[in-house]
Amino acid sequence: MDSIKTELLTLVDDPHKPINNYNLGCAYFIEEQYAIAFSYFLRCAEFTSTITLATECLLFCSKCLSFQGGRDGKEYDLINHALSIGSDYPEVHYIKSLYHSWRKEWTQCYATCCMAFKIVKSFDKTCKNDIFGYTGKSDLLYQHALSAYHRGKFNESKQIYFDILNTDEISDDRRTIIMDKLGQFPVPFSAPITNDYNHSQIFQDVFVERVMNNKR
Protein backbone atom coordinates (compact mmCIF):
# COMPACT_ATOMS: atom_id res chain seq x y z
CA MET A 1 0.00 0.00 0.00
CA ASP A 2 2.97 2.32 0.50
CA SER A 3 3.65 2.22 -3.24
CA ILE A 4 0.06 3.29 -3.94
CA LYS A 5 0.43 6.26 -1.59
CA THR A 6 3.73 7.26 -3.20
CA GLU A 7 2.40 7.03 -6.76
CA LEU A 8 -0.82 8.80 -5.79
CA LEU A 9 1.11 11.77 -4.41
CA THR A 10 3.14 11.88 -7.63
CA LEU A 11 -0.05 11.83 -9.70
CA VAL A 12 -1.52 14.74 -7.74
CA ASP A 13 1.40 16.92 -8.85
CA ASP A 14 0.73 16.18 -12.53
CA PRO A 15 -2.50 14.16 -13.08
CA HIS A 16 -2.31 14.32 -16.87
CA LYS A 17 1.20 12.92 -17.18
CA PRO A 18 0.80 9.46 -18.79
CA ILE A 19 3.58 7.71 -16.87
CA ASN A 20 2.14 8.88 -13.55
CA ASN A 21 -1.17 7.22 -14.40
CA TYR A 22 0.65 4.11 -15.60
CA ASN A 23 2.70 3.78 -12.40
CA LEU A 24 -0.35 4.23 -10.20
CA GLY A 25 -2.24 1.67 -12.26
CA CYS A 26 0.61 -0.80 -11.75
CA ALA A 27 0.60 -0.13 -8.01
CA TYR A 28 -3.12 -0.88 -7.75
CA PHE A 29 -2.74 -3.90 -10.06
CA ILE A 30 -0.10 -5.45 -7.78
CA GLU A 31 -2.52 -5.04 -4.86
CA GLU A 32 -5.18 -6.84 -6.96
CA GLN A 33 -7.43 -3.79 -7.01
CA TYR A 34 -8.22 -4.33 -10.65
CA ALA A 35 -11.21 -2.02 -11.06
CA ILE A 36 -9.33 1.12 -10.07
CA ALA A 37 -6.15 -0.07 -11.81
CA PHE A 38 -8.22 -0.36 -15.00
CA SER A 39 -9.24 3.31 -14.78
CA TYR A 40 -5.65 4.58 -14.49
CA PHE A 41 -4.38 2.38 -17.31
CA LEU A 42 -7.20 3.68 -19.48
CA ARG A 43 -6.31 7.28 -18.57
CA CYS A 44 -2.70 6.64 -19.52
CA ALA A 45 -3.73 5.13 -22.87
CA GLU A 46 -5.81 8.24 -23.57
CA PHE A 47 -3.17 10.76 -22.51
CA THR A 48 -0.02 9.24 -24.01
CA SER A 49 1.23 9.84 -27.53
CA THR A 50 3.56 6.84 -27.28
CA ILE A 51 2.12 3.86 -29.13
CA THR A 52 4.10 1.33 -27.08
CA LEU A 53 2.78 2.68 -23.77
CA ALA A 54 -0.80 2.94 -25.06
CA THR A 55 -0.66 -0.64 -26.32
CA GLU A 56 0.66 -1.93 -23.00
CA CYS A 57 -2.03 -0.06 -21.07
CA LEU A 58 -4.79 -1.57 -23.21
CA LEU A 59 -3.33 -5.03 -22.59
CA PHE A 60 -3.27 -4.25 -18.88
CA CYS A 61 -6.94 -3.24 -19.09
CA SER A 62 -7.78 -6.58 -20.72
CA LYS A 63 -5.79 -8.34 -18.00
CA CYS A 64 -7.78 -6.54 -15.30
CA LEU A 65 -11.04 -7.77 -16.82
CA SER A 66 -9.60 -11.27 -17.16
CA PHE A 67 -8.85 -11.42 -13.44
CA GLN A 68 -12.28 -10.04 -12.59
CA GLY A 69 -13.98 -12.59 -14.85
CA GLY A 70 -17.32 -12.59 -16.61
CA ARG A 71 -16.50 -9.94 -19.22
CA ASP A 72 -14.86 -11.96 -21.99
CA GLY A 73 -16.29 -9.85 -24.79
CA LYS A 74 -14.96 -6.59 -23.40
CA GLU A 75 -11.62 -8.23 -22.65
CA TYR A 76 -11.38 -9.35 -26.28
CA ASP A 77 -12.34 -5.87 -27.52
CA LEU A 78 -9.45 -4.35 -25.57
CA ILE A 79 -7.00 -6.88 -27.01
CA ASN A 80 -8.19 -6.05 -30.52
CA HIS A 81 -7.95 -2.34 -29.73
CA ALA A 82 -4.33 -2.90 -28.68
CA LEU A 83 -3.78 -4.82 -31.91
CA SER A 84 -5.19 -1.95 -33.96
CA ILE A 85 -2.53 0.46 -32.70
CA GLY A 86 0.33 -1.92 -31.93
CA SER A 87 0.08 -4.58 -34.62
CA ASP A 88 3.88 -4.80 -34.80
CA TYR A 89 4.25 -5.68 -31.10
CA PRO A 90 4.64 -9.41 -30.38
CA GLU A 91 3.00 -9.25 -26.94
CA VAL A 92 -0.34 -8.26 -28.49
CA HIS A 93 -0.40 -11.31 -30.76
CA TYR A 94 0.77 -13.51 -27.91
CA ILE A 95 -1.99 -12.33 -25.55
CA LYS A 96 -4.57 -12.73 -28.33
CA SER A 97 -3.38 -16.28 -29.05
CA LEU A 98 -3.62 -17.10 -25.32
CA TYR A 99 -7.16 -15.73 -25.21
CA HIS A 100 -8.16 -18.21 -27.92
CA SER A 101 -6.15 -21.20 -26.69
CA TRP A 102 -7.55 -20.91 -23.15
CA ARG A 103 -11.00 -21.21 -24.74
CA LYS A 104 -9.89 -23.98 -27.11
CA GLU A 105 -10.60 -21.77 -30.12
CA TRP A 106 -7.81 -23.39 -32.08
CA THR A 107 -8.57 -21.97 -35.53
CA GLN A 108 -8.52 -18.40 -34.19
CA CYS A 109 -5.36 -19.13 -32.20
CA TYR A 110 -3.65 -20.59 -35.27
CA ALA A 111 -4.70 -17.65 -37.45
CA THR A 112 -3.40 -15.19 -34.83
CA CYS A 113 0.01 -16.86 -34.78
CA CYS A 114 0.21 -17.01 -38.58
CA MET A 115 -0.61 -13.31 -38.74
CA ALA A 116 2.03 -12.49 -36.13
CA PHE A 117 4.79 -14.14 -38.13
CA LYS A 118 3.73 -12.18 -41.21
CA ILE A 119 3.46 -8.78 -39.51
CA VAL A 120 5.90 -8.60 -36.58
CA LYS A 121 9.40 -7.50 -37.57
CA SER A 122 11.11 -7.99 -34.21
CA PHE A 123 10.06 -10.48 -31.55
CA ASP A 124 11.94 -8.76 -28.75
CA LYS A 125 9.88 -7.62 -25.76
CA THR A 126 8.33 -4.18 -26.12
CA CYS A 127 6.27 -3.89 -22.90
CA LYS A 128 7.82 -2.49 -19.74
CA ASN A 129 6.08 -4.97 -17.42
CA ASP A 130 6.59 -8.76 -17.31
CA ILE A 131 3.01 -9.49 -16.22
CA PHE A 132 2.08 -10.69 -19.71
CA GLY A 133 4.49 -13.64 -19.55
CA TYR A 134 6.06 -12.99 -22.94
CA THR A 135 9.77 -13.79 -23.04
CA GLY A 136 10.54 -14.03 -26.74
CA LYS A 137 9.77 -15.59 -30.11
CA SER A 138 9.63 -19.13 -28.74
CA ASP A 139 6.44 -18.24 -26.83
CA LEU A 140 4.59 -17.43 -30.05
CA LEU A 141 6.12 -20.45 -31.77
CA TYR A 142 4.80 -22.64 -28.97
CA GLN A 143 1.30 -21.23 -29.41
CA HIS A 144 1.63 -21.79 -33.16
CA ALA A 145 2.67 -25.43 -32.71
CA LEU A 146 -0.05 -26.09 -30.13
CA SER A 147 -2.83 -24.68 -32.29
CA ALA A 148 -1.50 -26.42 -35.41
CA TYR A 149 -1.64 -29.75 -33.55
CA HIS A 150 -5.25 -29.23 -32.50
CA ARG A 151 -6.17 -28.38 -36.10
CA GLY A 152 -4.71 -31.68 -37.31
CA LYS A 153 -1.60 -30.12 -38.85
CA PHE A 154 0.68 -32.67 -37.19
CA ASN A 155 3.70 -32.35 -39.48
CA GLU A 156 3.71 -28.56 -39.20
CA SER A 157 3.26 -28.72 -35.43
CA LYS A 158 6.07 -31.24 -34.99
CA GLN A 159 8.48 -29.17 -37.09
CA ILE A 160 7.74 -26.03 -35.06
CA TYR A 161 8.35 -27.90 -31.81
CA PHE A 162 11.72 -29.05 -33.15
CA ASP A 163 12.52 -25.48 -34.18
CA ILE A 164 11.80 -24.30 -30.63
CA LEU A 165 14.04 -27.00 -29.17
CA ASN A 166 16.89 -25.71 -31.34
CA THR A 167 16.64 -22.15 -29.97
CA ASP A 168 18.87 -20.85 -27.20
CA GLU A 169 16.16 -18.96 -25.30
CA ILE A 170 14.00 -21.97 -24.37
CA SER A 171 13.69 -22.75 -20.66
CA ASP A 172 14.15 -26.21 -19.15
CA ASP A 173 10.45 -26.32 -18.17
CA ARG A 174 9.34 -25.47 -21.70
CA ARG A 175 11.75 -28.08 -23.12
CA THR A 176 10.21 -30.76 -20.86
CA ILE A 177 6.68 -29.78 -21.92
CA ILE A 178 7.59 -29.95 -25.61
CA MET A 179 9.28 -33.32 -25.27
CA ASP A 180 6.13 -34.62 -23.59
CA LYS A 181 3.93 -33.23 -26.38
CA LEU A 182 6.13 -34.76 -29.07
CA GLY A 183 5.44 -38.12 -27.48
CA GLN A 184 1.69 -37.60 -27.93
CA PHE A 185 1.69 -37.35 -31.72
CA PRO A 186 -0.31 -40.08 -33.46
CA VAL A 187 1.58 -42.66 -35.49
CA PRO A 188 0.97 -41.73 -39.14
CA PHE A 189 -0.49 -44.17 -41.64
CA SER A 190 1.77 -45.31 -44.42
CA ALA A 191 1.15 -43.81 -47.83
CA PRO A 192 -2.11 -45.18 -49.28
CA ILE A 193 -1.96 -47.58 -52.20
CA THR A 194 -4.92 -46.70 -54.40
CA ASN A 195 -4.49 -49.25 -57.20
CA ASP A 196 -6.59 -46.90 -59.33
CA TYR A 197 -9.81 -47.75 -57.48
CA ASN A 198 -10.08 -44.67 -55.29
CA HIS A 199 -13.30 -42.76 -55.97
CA SER A 200 -13.50 -40.44 -52.95
CA GLN A 201 -12.47 -36.82 -52.62
CA ILE A 202 -9.51 -37.24 -50.24
CA PHE A 203 -8.98 -41.04 -50.03
CA GLN A 204 -11.78 -41.67 -47.50
CA ASP A 205 -12.49 -45.09 -49.02
CA VAL A 206 -8.80 -46.05 -48.87
CA PHE A 207 -8.62 -44.86 -45.27
CA VAL A 208 -11.57 -47.05 -44.25
CA GLU A 209 -10.06 -50.04 -46.03
CA ARG A 210 -6.75 -49.63 -44.21
CA VAL A 211 -8.41 -49.16 -40.81
CA MET A 212 -10.59 -52.23 -41.34
CA ASN A 213 -7.59 -54.26 -42.58
CA ASN A 214 -9.17 -54.90 -46.00
CA LYS A 215 -12.25 -56.61 -44.55
CA ARG A 216 -15.18 -57.10 -46.91
Side-chain angles (χ1 to χ4, degrees):
M1 296 299 291
D2 289 340
S3 61
I4 292 178
K5 182 178 180 180
T6 300
E7 298 301 342
L8 191 55
L9 290 173
T10 302
L11 181 75
V12 169
D13 291 335
D14 191 351
H16 293 95
K17 189 173 182 179
I19 196 63
N20 291 349
N21 286 273
Y22 173 86
N23 290 335
L24 184 56
C26 287
Y28 277 115
F29 188 91
I30 291 172
E31 295 296 331
E32 299 182 2
Q33 298 188 34
Y34 301 122
I36 192 166
F38 179 98
S39 65
Y40 284 108
F41 286 129
L42 194 59
R43 279 170 57 89
C44 179
E46 291 174 348
F47 291 153
T48 186
S49 59
T50 305
I51 293 177
T52 304
L53 186 56
T55 301
E56 182 171 350
C57 284
L58 290 171
L59 290 180
F60 254 121
C61 286
S62 73
K63 200 73 171 177
C64 289
L65 296 184
S66 176
F67 282 129
Q68 289 178 308
R71 301 173 69 182
D72 290 12
K74 184 61 178 176
E75 177 189 347
Y76 190 57
D77 285 345
L78 286 162
I79 294 172
N80 280 324
H81 191 181
L83 184 64
S84 70
I85 62 173
S87 61
D88 195 32
Y89 300 143
E91 288 95 334
V92 184
H93 297 275
Y94 179 62
I95 293 296
K96 189 172 186 292
S97 73
L98 287 178
Y99 178 94
H100 292 304
S101 64
W102 286 337
R103 292 160 177 79
K104 301 187 185 304
E105 299 170 351
W106 299 116
T107 298
Q108 295 92 323
C109 181
Y110 180 80
T112 298
C113 295
C114 290
M115 186 65 67
F117 289 110
K118 289 180 180 179
I119 294 177
V120 178
K121 297 179 177 64
S122 171
F123 290 90
D124 295 335
K125 291 173 58 178
T126 56
C127 293
K128 292 159 57 68
N129 204 293
D130 293 330
I131 189 64
F132 306 110
Y134 179 79
T135 59
K137 186 177 182 179
S138 64
D139 292 328
L140 265 169
L141 283 172
Y142 179 81
Q143 288 292 105
H144 194 182
L146 183 65
S147 57
Y149 175 87
H150 284 284
R151 295 192 71 249
K153 296 177 175 290
F154 300 129
N155 291 336
E156 180 181 358
S157 177
K158 187 179 292 186
Q159 184 58 56
I160 296 171
Y161 279 135
F162 283 133
D163 290 341
I164 299 173
L165 290 174
N166 290 329
T167 61
D168 296 330
E169 63 183 54
I170 183 175
S171 66
D172 291 338
D173 289 342
R174 176 64 60 81
R175 185 178 298 276
T176 301
I177 292 172
I178 290 176
M179 293 303 294
D180 179 62
K181 288 192 175 296
L182 285 171
Q184 299 174 15
F185 277 81
V187 178
F189 285 96
S190 57
I193 302 174
T194 63
N195 291 330
D196 297 324
Y197 59 71
N198 167 248
H199 300 289
S200 61
Q201 183 181 18
I202 51 173
F203 299 108
Q204 292 98 327
D205 51 355
V206 177
F207 173 81
V208 172
E209 184 176 70
R210 295 299 299 274
V211 170
M212 301 304 294
N213 197 25
N214 298 317
K215 289 182 180 178
R216 299 274 179 187

